[in-house]
Amino acid sequence: MYGMIHRAVRQMVFDELGEDAWLALEQKLDIGPSELLTGMVYDDALTIAIISEASARLNLSIDACLFEFGRYWIKYAERGPLAAIMNFTGQNLGSFIENLDRLHLAVSAAMPGVRLPSFTTISSAPGHLLVEYRSDRTGMEQFVTGLFDGLLTRFHATGDVTIAEHKASSIIFEIRYQDGI
Ligand code: HEM
């Protein structure tokens, strides 16, 4: 994945455990600043190795770490230079999810080799969404669940994100929620 993602994992480990924990992780994996370049594409195996080391240090399973990283990514994107595009993407959960592909398209314009997921809202009712997620990657379910959970928080809603169906080439997520104030 793009180095931008590695940098966000680094920031999560920094925030939770401090700089020493991240430096120990770098040493263990024999990586350094050259594996963290925002605009470079790295093998997914490296991304998974970083997540897996982070999960051990955070005392989480890999799936729990992917979920937390999904939630973290929303907070991470809300601050700094990505905030504007997040604000532009939608003012409520339903419209934000409707516009996710546009968000990715916009950020990926100058990212050769990027492999982006695609999200389609297949049903939308008050407090209930069914969203189809497609990707050429596997094993990202808990990341996506954490991302949607982070979006609930972003829009001051409470609710549950579950997997409704595994299809041959996509996964249907169900989001049940109540709007906050
Ligand atoms: C400004 C905010 C965002 C930026 C800049 C961004 C950018 C990216 C980038 C660069 C990748 C890696 C692709 C690659 O290296 O091949 C990615 C992957 C991904 N993004 Fe986003 N993204 C943003 C917000 C979101 C949000 C809000 C969601 C919510 C659902 C999301 C869902 C995903 C997923 C699930 C992947 C994993 C790739 C896969 O499943 O194949 N992203 N994104």
Side-chain angles (χ1 to χ4, degrees):
M1 283 209 201
Y2 260 82
M4 163 192 279
I5 308 295
H6 296 175
R7 293 176 81 93
V9 180
R10 175 178 66 169
Q11 196 58 48
M12 180 172 80
V13 173
F14 257 49
D15 287 1
E16 296 291 323
L17 303 171
E19 186 175 7
D20 286 352
W22 174 260
L23 293 176
L25 181 154
E26 279 194 347
Q27 210 167 24
K28 172 98 187 279
L29 292 177
D30 197 17
I31 61 170
S34 54
E35 277 73 28
L36 291 159
L37 300 171
T38 302
M40 278 277 293
V41 187
Y42 302 98
D43 196 313
D44 277 10
L46 176 62
T47 313
I48 297 300
I50 293 175
I51 296 273
S52 138
E53 272 303 313
S55 74
R57 279 154 218 280
L58 291 162
N59 234 338
L60 297 170
S61 66
I62 292 188
D63 269 353
C65 186
L66 280 169
F67 175 86
E68 289 307 328
F69 180 54
R71 281 188 52 81
Y72 186 84
W73 176 255
I74 300 299
K75 284 190 285 172
Y76 180 82
E78 279 169 354
R79 44 190 217 218
L82 299 174
I85 182 149
M86 290 289 282
N87 291 335
F88 196 66
T89 298
Q91 295 307 315
N92 59 59
L93 185 67
S95 68
F96 192 99
I97 291 175
E98 286 272 356
N99 286 322
L100 266 176
D101 284 4
R102 252 173 282 205
L103 175 155
H104 275 136
L105 199 66
V107 298
S108 69
M111 298 179 109
V114 78
R115 288 157 53 204
L116 290 168
S118 164
F119 295 91
T120 312
T121 302
I122 50 177
S123 118
S124 168
H128 186 245
L129 293 169
L130 284 179
V131 184
E132 183 163 36
Y133 156 73
R134 286 173 194 278
S135 166
D136 67 359
R137 295 187 168 92
T138 54
M140 292 286 146
E141 287 89 334
Q142 286 308 309
F143 179 49
V144 177
T145 307
L147 284 160
F148 286 148
D149 200 70
L151 287 177
L152 286 176
T153 305
R154 172 175 172 80
F155 292 110
H156 310 289
T158 49
D160 280 313
V161 181
T162 50
I163 293 175
E165 194 182 346
H166 275 273
K167 294 184 148 194
S169 59
S170 68
I171 301 172
I172 313 288
F173 284 83
E174 178 165 24
I175 309 175
R176 291 183 182 276
Y177 65 102
Q178 279 190 312
D179 281 313
I181 3 145

Short mmCIF file of all heavy atoms in Angstrom, two decimals, residues 1-5 38 40-42 44 47 70 73-74 76-78 81-87 89 96-97 100 103-104 106-108 111-119 131 133-141 143-148 151 154, ligand 1:
data_model
loop_
_atom_site.label_atom_id
_atom_site.label_comp_id
_atom_site.label_asym_id
_atom_site.label_seq_id
_atom_site.Cartn_x
_atom_site.Cartn_y
_atom_site.Cartn_z
N MET A 1 0.83 -1.19 0.00
CA MET A 1 0.00 0.00 0.00
C MET A 1 0.88 1.25 0.00
O MET A 1 2.05 1.19 0.35
CB MET A 1 -0.89 0.02 1.24
CG MET A 1 -2.08 -0.91 1.15
SD MET A 1 -3.44 -0.25 2.13
CE MET A 1 -4.38 -1.73 2.38
N TYR A 2 0.24 2.35 -0.33
CA TYR A 2 0.95 3.62 -0.34
C TYR A 2 1.54 3.96 1.04
O TYR A 2 0.94 3.66 2.08
CB TYR A 2 0.01 4.74 -0.80
CG TYR A 2 0.22 5.09 -2.26
CD1 TYR A 2 -0.35 4.34 -3.26
CD2 TYR A 2 1.06 6.15 -2.60
CE1 TYR A 2 -0.12 4.65 -4.60
CE2 TYR A 2 1.28 6.47 -3.93
CZ TYR A 2 0.69 5.71 -4.93
OH TYR A 2 0.93 6.01 -6.24
N GLY A 3 2.71 4.60 1.03
CA GLY A 3 3.40 4.98 2.27
C GLY A 3 2.54 5.83 3.18
O GLY A 3 2.72 5.82 4.41
N MET A 4 1.60 6.54 2.58
CA MET A 4 0.66 7.36 3.36
C MET A 4 -0.02 6.53 4.46
O MET A 4 -0.24 6.99 5.57
CB MET A 4 -0.37 7.90 2.35
CG MET A 4 -1.63 8.42 2.91
SD MET A 4 -2.85 8.69 1.59
CE MET A 4 -2.33 10.24 0.93
N ILE A 5 -0.33 5.26 4.11
CA ILE A 5 -1.00 4.38 5.06
C ILE A 5 -0.01 3.98 6.18
O ILE A 5 -0.35 3.97 7.36
CB ILE A 5 -1.55 3.11 4.33
CG1 ILE A 5 -2.41 3.49 3.12
CG2 ILE A 5 -2.27 2.18 5.29
CD1 ILE A 5 -3.70 4.22 3.43
N THR A 38 5.32 8.96 1.68
CA THR A 38 3.90 9.11 1.39
C THR A 38 3.53 8.66 -0.01
O THR A 38 2.54 7.96 -0.21
CB THR A 38 3.50 10.60 1.55
OG1 THR A 38 3.83 10.97 2.88
CG2 THR A 38 2.03 10.84 1.31
N MET A 40 5.05 6.65 -2.19
CA MET A 40 5.63 5.41 -2.73
C MET A 40 4.66 4.27 -2.52
O MET A 40 3.97 4.21 -1.51
CB MET A 40 6.91 5.08 -1.96
CG MET A 40 8.14 5.82 -2.42
SD MET A 40 8.89 5.02 -3.84
CE MET A 40 9.46 3.49 -3.08
N VAL A 41 4.67 3.31 -3.47
CA VAL A 41 3.84 2.12 -3.30
C VAL A 41 4.71 1.00 -2.74
O VAL A 41 5.79 0.75 -3.25
CB VAL A 41 3.28 1.61 -4.65
CG1 VAL A 41 2.27 0.49 -4.43
CG2 VAL A 41 2.63 2.73 -5.44
N TYR A 42 4.24 0.36 -1.69
CA TYR A 42 4.96 -0.78 -1.11
C TYR A 42 4.10 -2.03 -1.24
O TYR A 42 2.88 -1.96 -1.30
CB TYR A 42 5.27 -0.51 0.37
CG TYR A 42 6.08 0.74 0.58
CD1 TYR A 42 5.47 1.93 0.93
CD2 TYR A 42 7.45 0.75 0.38
CE1 TYR A 42 6.20 3.11 1.09
CE2 TYR A 42 8.20 1.90 0.54
CZ TYR A 42 7.57 3.08 0.89
OH TYR A 42 8.30 4.22 1.04
N ASP A 44 1.94 -5.05 -0.27
CA ASP A 44 0.98 -5.21 0.84
C ASP A 44 1.57 -6.08 1.96
O ASP A 44 1.19 -5.93 3.12
CB ASP A 44 -0.32 -5.86 0.35
CG ASP A 44 -1.28 -4.84 -0.26
OD1 ASP A 44 -0.87 -3.68 -0.49
OD2 ASP A 44 -2.44 -5.21 -0.52
N THR A 47 2.94 -3.85 4.47
CA THR A 47 1.86 -3.18 5.23
C THR A 47 1.32 -4.14 6.30
O THR A 47 1.14 -3.76 7.46
CB THR A 47 0.72 -2.76 4.27
OG1 THR A 47 1.30 -2.12 3.15
CG2 THR A 47 -0.27 -1.83 4.96
N GLY A 70 -8.82 1.34 11.41
CA GLY A 70 -9.90 1.95 10.62
C GLY A 70 -10.48 3.16 11.33
O GLY A 70 -10.62 4.24 10.75
N TRP A 73 -7.92 5.93 11.29
CA TRP A 73 -7.72 6.58 9.99
C TRP A 73 -8.70 7.75 9.80
O TRP A 73 -8.36 8.79 9.25
CB TRP A 73 -7.85 5.56 8.84
CG TRP A 73 -7.76 6.18 7.48
CD1 TRP A 73 -8.79 6.41 6.63
CD2 TRP A 73 -6.59 6.70 6.84
NE1 TRP A 73 -8.32 7.02 5.48
CE2 TRP A 73 -6.99 7.21 5.58
CE3 TRP A 73 -5.23 6.77 7.19
CZ2 TRP A 73 -6.08 7.79 4.68
CZ3 TRP A 73 -4.34 7.35 6.30
CH2 TRP A 73 -4.76 7.84 5.07
N ILE A 74 -9.94 7.57 10.29
CA ILE A 74 -10.93 8.64 10.16
C ILE A 74 -10.47 9.87 10.97
O ILE A 74 -10.48 10.99 10.47
CB ILE A 74 -12.33 8.18 10.65
CG1 ILE A 74 -12.82 6.98 9.81
CG2 ILE A 74 -13.35 9.33 10.59
CD1 ILE A 74 -12.99 7.24 8.32
N TYR A 76 -7.43 10.53 11.84
CA TYR A 76 -6.17 10.99 11.22
C TYR A 76 -6.48 11.88 10.02
O TYR A 76 -5.89 12.93 9.84
CB TYR A 76 -5.39 9.75 10.80
CG TYR A 76 -4.05 9.99 10.13
CD1 TYR A 76 -2.91 10.23 10.90
CD2 TYR A 76 -3.92 9.92 8.75
CE1 TYR A 76 -1.66 10.41 10.29
CE2 TYR A 76 -2.68 10.11 8.14
CZ TYR A 76 -1.57 10.35 8.92
OH TYR A 76 -0.34 10.54 8.31
N ALA A 77 -7.45 11.44 9.20
CA ALA A 77 -7.79 12.21 8.00
C ALA A 77 -8.52 13.50 8.36
O ALA A 77 -8.53 14.44 7.56
CB ALA A 77 -8.65 11.35 7.07
N GLU A 78 -9.12 13.53 9.55
CA GLU A 78 -9.87 14.74 9.94
C GLU A 78 -8.94 15.88 10.31
O GLU A 78 -9.35 17.02 10.37
CB GLU A 78 -10.77 14.44 11.16
CG GLU A 78 -12.05 13.76 10.76
CD GLU A 78 -12.83 13.22 11.95
OE1 GLU A 78 -12.33 13.26 13.11
OE2 GLU A 78 -13.94 12.73 11.71
N PRO A 81 -3.88 18.05 6.40
CA PRO A 81 -4.23 18.44 5.02
C PRO A 81 -5.40 17.66 4.42
O PRO A 81 -5.97 18.09 3.42
CB PRO A 81 -2.94 18.16 4.22
CG PRO A 81 -2.11 17.28 5.08
CD PRO A 81 -2.52 17.51 6.51
N LEU A 82 -5.75 16.52 5.00
CA LEU A 82 -6.86 15.74 4.43
C LEU A 82 -8.23 16.21 4.94
O LEU A 82 -9.27 15.76 4.45
CB LEU A 82 -6.69 14.25 4.74
CG LEU A 82 -5.41 13.60 4.18
CD1 LEU A 82 -5.28 12.17 4.69
CD2 LEU A 82 -5.41 13.61 2.66
N ALA A 83 -8.23 17.14 5.91
CA ALA A 83 -9.50 17.57 6.52
C ALA A 83 -10.45 18.17 5.49
O ALA A 83 -11.65 17.88 5.51
CB ALA A 83 -9.23 18.57 7.64
N ALA A 84 -9.91 18.96 4.58
CA ALA A 84 -10.77 19.64 3.61
C ALA A 84 -11.53 18.64 2.76
O ALA A 84 -12.75 18.75 2.57
CB ALA A 84 -9.94 20.57 2.74
N ILE A 85 -10.83 17.62 2.28
CA ILE A 85 -11.52 16.65 1.42
C ILE A 85 -12.54 15.84 2.21
O ILE A 85 -13.61 15.49 1.71
CB ILE A 85 -10.51 15.77 0.64
CG1 ILE A 85 -11.25 14.81 -0.28
CG2 ILE A 85 -9.60 14.96 1.50
CD1 ILE A 85 -10.50 14.47 -1.50
N MET A 86 -12.23 15.57 3.48
CA MET A 86 -13.21 14.86 4.32
C MET A 86 -14.47 15.72 4.47
O MET A 86 -15.58 15.21 4.35
CB MET A 86 -12.62 14.58 5.72
CG MET A 86 -11.51 13.54 5.73
SD MET A 86 -12.10 11.86 5.43
CE MET A 86 -12.78 11.43 7.03
N ASN A 87 -14.31 17.01 4.71
CA ASN A 87 -15.47 17.89 4.88
C ASN A 87 -16.28 17.99 3.60
O ASN A 87 -17.51 18.06 3.62
CB ASN A 87 -15.02 19.29 5.32
CG ASN A 87 -14.48 19.28 6.73
OD1 ASN A 87 -14.84 18.41 7.52
ND2 ASN A 87 -13.59 20.21 7.04
N THR A 89 -16.62 15.73 1.37
CA THR A 89 -17.19 14.45 0.91
C THR A 89 -18.65 14.26 1.33
O THR A 89 -19.42 13.65 0.59
CB THR A 89 -16.30 13.29 1.41
OG1 THR A 89 -15.00 13.46 0.83
CG2 THR A 89 -16.83 11.93 1.02
N PHE A 96 -21.90 10.87 2.83
CA PHE A 96 -20.45 10.64 2.86
C PHE A 96 -20.12 9.30 2.19
O PHE A 96 -19.22 9.21 1.34
CB PHE A 96 -19.93 10.66 4.30
CG PHE A 96 -18.44 10.72 4.42
CD1 PHE A 96 -17.78 11.93 4.65
CD2 PHE A 96 -17.66 9.58 4.26
CE1 PHE A 96 -16.40 11.99 4.73
CE2 PHE A 96 -16.28 9.63 4.35
CZ PHE A 96 -15.65 10.84 4.59
N ILE A 97 -20.87 8.27 2.55
CA ILE A 97 -20.60 6.94 1.99
C ILE A 97 -20.91 6.92 0.48
O ILE A 97 -20.17 6.33 -0.30
CB ILE A 97 -21.37 5.86 2.78
CG1 ILE A 97 -20.74 5.74 4.18
CG2 ILE A 97 -21.34 4.51 2.05
CD1 ILE A 97 -21.45 4.80 5.13
N LEU A 100 -17.83 8.20 -1.30
CA LEU A 100 -16.50 7.64 -0.99
C LEU A 100 -15.65 7.38 -2.24
O LEU A 100 -14.45 7.63 -2.25
CB LEU A 100 -16.65 6.33 -0.23
CG LEU A 100 -16.62 6.39 1.29
CD1 LEU A 100 -16.88 5.01 1.85
CD2 LEU A 100 -15.27 6.91 1.76
N LEU A 103 -14.22 10.53 -3.40
CA LEU A 103 -13.10 10.93 -2.54
C LEU A 103 -11.82 10.22 -2.99
O LEU A 103 -10.78 10.82 -3.21
CB LEU A 103 -13.42 10.60 -1.08
CG LEU A 103 -12.34 10.83 0.00
CD1 LEU A 103 -12.99 11.04 1.36
CD2 LEU A 103 -11.35 9.71 0.11
N HIS A 104 -11.92 8.89 -3.13
CA HIS A 104 -10.74 8.12 -3.52
C HIS A 104 -10.24 8.52 -4.90
O HIS A 104 -9.04 8.60 -5.14
CB HIS A 104 -11.04 6.62 -3.47
CG HIS A 104 -10.84 6.03 -2.11
ND1 HIS A 104 -11.73 5.15 -1.54
CD2 HIS A 104 -9.87 6.20 -1.19
CE1 HIS A 104 -11.30 4.80 -0.33
NE2 HIS A 104 -10.17 5.42 -0.10
N ALA A 106 -10.51 11.39 -6.30
CA ALA A 106 -9.85 12.69 -6.20
C ALA A 106 -8.44 12.55 -5.63
O ALA A 106 -7.49 13.11 -6.17
CB ALA A 106 -10.68 13.63 -5.34
N VAL A 107 -8.30 11.76 -4.54
CA VAL A 107 -6.96 11.68 -3.94
C VAL A 107 -6.01 10.83 -4.78
O VAL A 107 -4.80 10.97 -4.68
CB VAL A 107 -6.96 11.14 -2.48
CG1 VAL A 107 -7.74 12.04 -1.57
CG2 VAL A 107 -7.47 9.72 -2.40
N SER A 108 -6.57 9.96 -5.61
CA SER A 108 -5.69 9.02 -6.32
C SER A 108 -5.25 9.53 -7.69
O SER A 108 -4.48 8.86 -8.37
CB SER A 108 -6.40 7.69 -6.50
OG SER A 108 -7.46 7.86 -7.42
N MET A 111 -1.66 9.22 -8.06
CA MET A 111 -1.08 8.07 -7.36
C MET A 111 -1.01 6.86 -8.27
O MET A 111 -1.87 5.97 -8.20
CB MET A 111 -1.92 7.74 -6.12
CG MET A 111 -1.98 8.84 -5.11
SD MET A 111 -3.02 8.38 -3.69
CE MET A 111 -1.82 8.16 -2.43
N PRO A 112 0.00 6.77 -9.12
CA PRO A 112 0.07 5.61 -10.00
C PRO A 112 0.19 4.31 -9.20
O PRO A 112 0.82 4.29 -8.15
CB PRO A 112 1.33 5.87 -10.83
CG PRO A 112 2.08 6.93 -10.12
CD PRO A 112 1.10 7.70 -9.28
N GLY A 113 -0.47 3.28 -9.69
CA GLY A 113 -0.34 1.96 -9.04
C GLY A 113 -1.25 1.80 -7.84
O GLY A 113 -1.20 0.77 -7.17
N VAL A 114 -2.09 2.78 -7.57
CA VAL A 114 -2.97 2.68 -6.41
C VAL A 114 -4.06 1.64 -6.71
O VAL A 114 -4.48 1.49 -7.86
CB VAL A 114 -3.57 4.07 -6.07
CG1 VAL A 114 -4.69 4.45 -7.00
CG2 VAL A 114 -4.00 4.17 -4.63
N ARG A 115 -4.46 0.86 -5.69
CA ARG A 115 -5.53 -0.14 -5.87
C ARG A 115 -6.61 0.21 -4.88
O ARG A 115 -6.52 -0.13 -3.70
CB ARG A 115 -4.98 -1.53 -5.58
CG ARG A 115 -4.04 -2.05 -6.66
CD ARG A 115 -3.13 -3.12 -6.09
NE ARG A 115 -3.84 -4.18 -5.44
CZ ARG A 115 -3.30 -4.96 -4.50
NH1 ARG A 115 -2.08 -4.76 -4.08
NH2 ARG A 115 -4.01 -5.92 -3.96
N LEU A 116 -7.62 0.92 -5.37
CA LEU A 116 -8.62 1.46 -4.47
C LEU A 116 -9.85 0.56 -4.37
O LEU A 116 -10.21 -0.10 -5.34
CB LEU A 116 -9.03 2.86 -4.93
CG LEU A 116 -7.92 3.90 -4.74
CD1 LEU A 116 -8.28 5.18 -5.46
CD2 LEU A 116 -7.68 4.17 -3.25
N PRO A 117 -10.49 0.60 -3.21
CA PRO A 117 -11.74 -0.14 -3.07
C PRO A 117 -12.88 0.65 -3.71
O PRO A 117 -12.68 1.80 -4.11
CB PRO A 117 -11.93 -0.19 -1.56
CG PRO A 117 -11.29 1.07 -1.07
CD PRO A 117 -10.15 1.35 -2.01
N SER A 118 -14.05 0.03 -3.77
CA SER A 118 -15.20 0.75 -4.28
C SER A 118 -16.40 0.45 -3.37
O SER A 118 -16.55 -0.68 -2.88
CB SER A 118 -15.46 0.27 -5.71
OG SER A 118 -16.75 0.65 -6.09
N PHE A 119 -17.19 1.47 -3.10
CA PHE A 119 -18.33 1.33 -2.19
C PHE A 119 -19.60 1.74 -2.91
O PHE A 119 -19.63 2.80 -3.55
CB PHE A 119 -18.14 2.23 -0.97
CG PHE A 119 -16.97 1.85 -0.10
CD1 PHE A 119 -15.70 2.39 -0.31
CD2 PHE A 119 -17.13 0.92 0.92
CE1 PHE A 119 -14.61 2.02 0.48
CE2 PHE A 119 -16.05 0.55 1.73
CZ PHE A 119 -14.80 1.10 1.51
N VAL A 131 -24.23 -1.39 2.42
CA VAL A 131 -23.17 -0.87 1.54
C VAL A 131 -22.35 -2.04 1.00
O VAL A 131 -21.87 -2.88 1.77
CB VAL A 131 -22.25 0.10 2.31
CG1 VAL A 131 -21.20 0.70 1.39
CG2 VAL A 131 -23.04 1.21 2.99
N TYR A 133 -19.02 -3.42 -0.61
CA TYR A 133 -17.59 -3.08 -0.66
C TYR A 133 -16.91 -4.06 -1.61
O TYR A 133 -17.03 -5.26 -1.47
CB TYR A 133 -17.02 -3.19 0.76
CG TYR A 133 -15.53 -3.44 0.86
CD1 TYR A 133 -14.59 -2.44 0.57
CD2 TYR A 133 -15.04 -4.68 1.27
CE1 TYR A 133 -13.23 -2.68 0.69
CE2 TYR A 133 -13.67 -4.92 1.38
CZ TYR A 133 -12.78 -3.92 1.09
OH TYR A 133 -11.43 -4.15 1.20
N ARG A 134 -16.20 -3.50 -2.58
CA ARG A 134 -15.44 -4.32 -3.51
C ARG A 134 -13.97 -3.93 -3.46
O ARG A 134 -13.66 -2.73 -3.40
CB ARG A 134 -15.87 -4.06 -4.96
CG ARG A 134 -17.16 -4.62 -5.34
CD ARG A 134 -17.56 -4.14 -6.73
NE ARG A 134 -18.95 -4.43 -6.93
CZ ARG A 134 -19.41 -5.62 -7.30
NH1 ARG A 134 -18.55 -6.60 -7.59
NH2 ARG A 134 -20.68 -5.84 -7.43
N SER A 135 -13.12 -4.94 -3.54
CA SER A 135 -11.69 -4.66 -3.52
C SER A 135 -10.97 -5.83 -4.14
O SER A 135 -11.48 -6.96 -4.11
CB SER A 135 -11.23 -4.49 -2.07
OG SER A 135 -9.82 -4.52 -2.00
N ASP A 136 -9.79 -5.60 -4.67
CA ASP A 136 -9.02 -6.77 -5.13
C ASP A 136 -8.15 -7.31 -3.99
O ASP A 136 -7.41 -8.25 -4.16
CB ASP A 136 -8.21 -6.46 -6.39
CG ASP A 136 -7.11 -5.46 -6.16
OD1 ASP A 136 -6.96 -4.98 -5.01
OD2 ASP A 136 -6.37 -5.15 -7.12
N ARG A 137 -8.28 -6.70 -2.81
CA ARG A 137 -7.58 -7.22 -1.63
C ARG A 137 -8.55 -8.08 -0.81
O ARG A 137 -9.75 -7.88 -0.88
CB ARG A 137 -7.10 -6.08 -0.74
CG ARG A 137 -6.06 -5.20 -1.35
CD ARG A 137 -5.52 -4.22 -0.32
NE ARG A 137 -4.33 -3.55 -0.81
CZ ARG A 137 -4.36 -2.39 -1.45
NH1 ARG A 137 -5.49 -1.76 -1.67
NH2 ARG A 137 -3.23 -1.85 -1.88
N THR A 138 -7.97 -8.99 -0.01
CA THR A 138 -8.81 -9.74 0.93
C THR A 138 -8.31 -9.43 2.35
O THR A 138 -7.21 -8.89 2.52
CB THR A 138 -8.72 -11.26 0.68
OG1 THR A 138 -7.34 -11.63 0.72
CG2 THR A 138 -9.33 -11.64 -0.65
N GLY A 139 -9.12 -9.78 3.31
CA GLY A 139 -8.69 -9.64 4.70
C GLY A 139 -8.85 -8.25 5.29
O GLY A 139 -8.32 -7.96 6.37
N MET A 140 -9.57 -7.37 4.59
CA MET A 140 -9.71 -5.99 5.04
C MET A 140 -11.03 -5.76 5.78
O MET A 140 -11.34 -4.62 6.12
CB MET A 140 -9.66 -5.04 3.83
CG MET A 140 -8.32 -4.96 3.15
SD MET A 140 -7.17 -4.01 4.17
CE MET A 140 -5.67 -4.86 3.79
N GLU A 141 -11.80 -6.83 6.02
CA GLU A 141 -13.15 -6.65 6.60
C GLU A 141 -13.13 -5.81 7.88
O GLU A 141 -13.94 -4.91 8.06
CB GLU A 141 -13.79 -8.00 6.93
CG GLU A 141 -14.25 -8.79 5.73
CD GLU A 141 -13.17 -9.71 5.18
OE1 GLU A 141 -11.96 -9.41 5.36
OE2 GLU A 141 -13.52 -10.71 4.57
N PHE A 143 -10.88 -3.76 8.91
CA PHE A 143 -10.46 -2.37 8.61
C PHE A 143 -11.68 -1.57 8.16
O PHE A 143 -11.96 -0.48 8.66
CB PHE A 143 -9.36 -2.40 7.54
CG PHE A 143 -8.86 -1.04 7.11
CD1 PHE A 143 -8.48 -0.09 8.05
CD2 PHE A 143 -8.75 -0.71 5.76
CE1 PHE A 143 -8.02 1.17 7.66
CE2 PHE A 143 -8.28 0.53 5.36
CZ PHE A 143 -7.92 1.48 6.31
N VAL A 144 -12.45 -2.15 7.24
CA VAL A 144 -13.65 -1.46 6.73
C VAL A 144 -14.65 -1.25 7.87
O VAL A 144 -15.24 -0.16 8.01
CB VAL A 144 -14.28 -2.25 5.56
CG1 VAL A 144 -15.56 -1.59 5.09
CG2 VAL A 144 -13.30 -2.39 4.40
N THR A 145 -14.84 -2.27 8.71
CA THR A 145 -15.76 -2.14 9.85
C THR A 145 -15.32 -0.97 10.74
O THR A 145 -16.14 -0.14 11.16
CB THR A 145 -15.81 -3.46 10.67
OG1 THR A 145 -16.10 -4.53 9.78
CG2 THR A 145 -16.87 -3.40 11.74
N GLY A 146 -14.03 -0.89 11.01
CA GLY A 146 -13.51 0.20 11.85
C GLY A 146 -13.68 1.56 11.17
O GLY A 146 -13.99 2.55 11.83
N LEU A 147 -13.49 1.59 9.85
CA LEU A 147 -13.68 2.86 9.13
C LEU A 147 -15.13 3.33 9.27
O LEU A 147 -15.40 4.50 9.58
CB LEU A 147 -13.36 2.67 7.64
CG LEU A 147 -11.87 2.61 7.27
CD1 LEU A 147 -11.70 1.95 5.91
CD2 LEU A 147 -11.25 3.99 7.25
N PHE A 148 -16.09 2.42 9.04
CA PHE A 148 -17.50 2.81 9.15
C PHE A 148 -17.82 3.22 10.60
O PHE A 148 -18.56 4.17 10.84
CB PHE A 148 -18.42 1.67 8.71
CG PHE A 148 -18.47 1.48 7.21
CD1 PHE A 148 -18.66 0.21 6.65
CD2 PHE A 148 -18.35 2.55 6.34
CE1 PHE A 148 -18.73 0.03 5.27
CE2 PHE A 148 -18.41 2.38 4.95
CZ PHE A 148 -18.59 1.11 4.43
N LEU A 151 -16.71 6.57 11.09
CA LEU A 151 -17.62 7.53 10.44
C LEU A 151 -18.85 7.77 11.32
O LEU A 151 -19.36 8.90 11.37
CB LEU A 151 -18.04 7.05 9.05
CG LEU A 151 -16.95 7.13 7.96
CD1 LEU A 151 -17.47 6.57 6.64
CD2 LEU A 151 -16.46 8.58 7.75
N ARG A 154 -17.74 10.27 13.66
CA ARG A 154 -17.57 11.56 12.99
C ARG A 154 -18.91 12.29 12.89
O ARG A 154 -18.96 13.51 13.03
CB ARG A 154 -16.98 11.34 11.59
CG ARG A 154 -16.95 12.60 10.72
CD ARG A 154 -16.24 12.33 9.40
NE ARG A 154 -16.33 13.43 8.47
CZ ARG A 154 -15.57 14.52 8.51
NH1 ARG A 154 -14.66 14.64 9.46
NH2 ARG A 154 -15.71 15.48 7.64
C1 HEM B 1 -9.03 11.83 2.88
C2 HEM B 1 -9.30 10.58 3.21
C3 HEM B 1 -8.78 9.36 2.50
C4 HEM B 1 -7.65 9.18 1.73
C5 HEM B 1 -6.58 10.21 1.40
C6 HEM B 1 -7.63 7.78 1.32
C7 HEM B 1 -6.63 7.19 0.56
C8 HEM B 1 -6.43 5.85 0.43
C9 HEM B 1 -5.22 5.22 -0.07
C10 HEM B 1 -4.00 5.95 -0.60
C11 HEM B 1 -5.39 3.88 0.02
C12 HEM B 1 -4.37 2.79 -0.34
C13 HEM B 1 -4.54 2.25 -1.70
C14 HEM B 1 -3.25 1.59 -2.18
O1 HEM B 1 -2.16 1.85 -1.66
O2 HEM B 1 -3.33 0.79 -3.14
C15 HEM B 1 -6.72 3.66 0.58
C16 HEM B 1 -7.24 2.42 0.83
C17 HEM B 1 -8.46 2.21 1.39
N1 HEM B 1 -9.40 3.17 1.73
FE1 HEM B 1 -9.15 5.15 1.65
N2 HEM B 1 -8.74 7.15 1.80
C18 HEM B 1 -9.45 8.07 2.54
C19 HEM B 1 -10.62 7.84 3.22
C20 HEM B 1 -11.27 6.64 3.28
C21 HEM B 1 -12.52 6.45 3.97
C22 HEM B 1 -13.32 7.54 4.71
C23 HEM B 1 -12.84 5.15 3.82
C24 HEM B 1 -14.09 4.59 4.41
C25 HEM B 1 -14.69 3.52 4.14
C26 HEM B 1 -11.76 4.49 3.06
C27 HEM B 1 -11.65 3.14 2.72
C28 HEM B 1 -10.50 2.53 2.26
C29 HEM B 1 -10.26 1.09 2.26
C30 HEM B 1 -11.20 0.00 2.76
C31 HEM B 1 -8.98 0.89 1.72
C32 HEM B 1 -8.22 -0.45 1.61
C33 HEM B 1 -8.01 -0.84 0.20
C34 HEM B 1 -8.76 -2.05 -0.24
O3 HEM B 1 -9.74 -2.45 0.42
O4 HEM B 1 -8.37 -2.61 -1.27
N3 HEM B 1 -10.83 5.45 2.73
N4 HEM B 1 -7.33 4.87 0.82
#
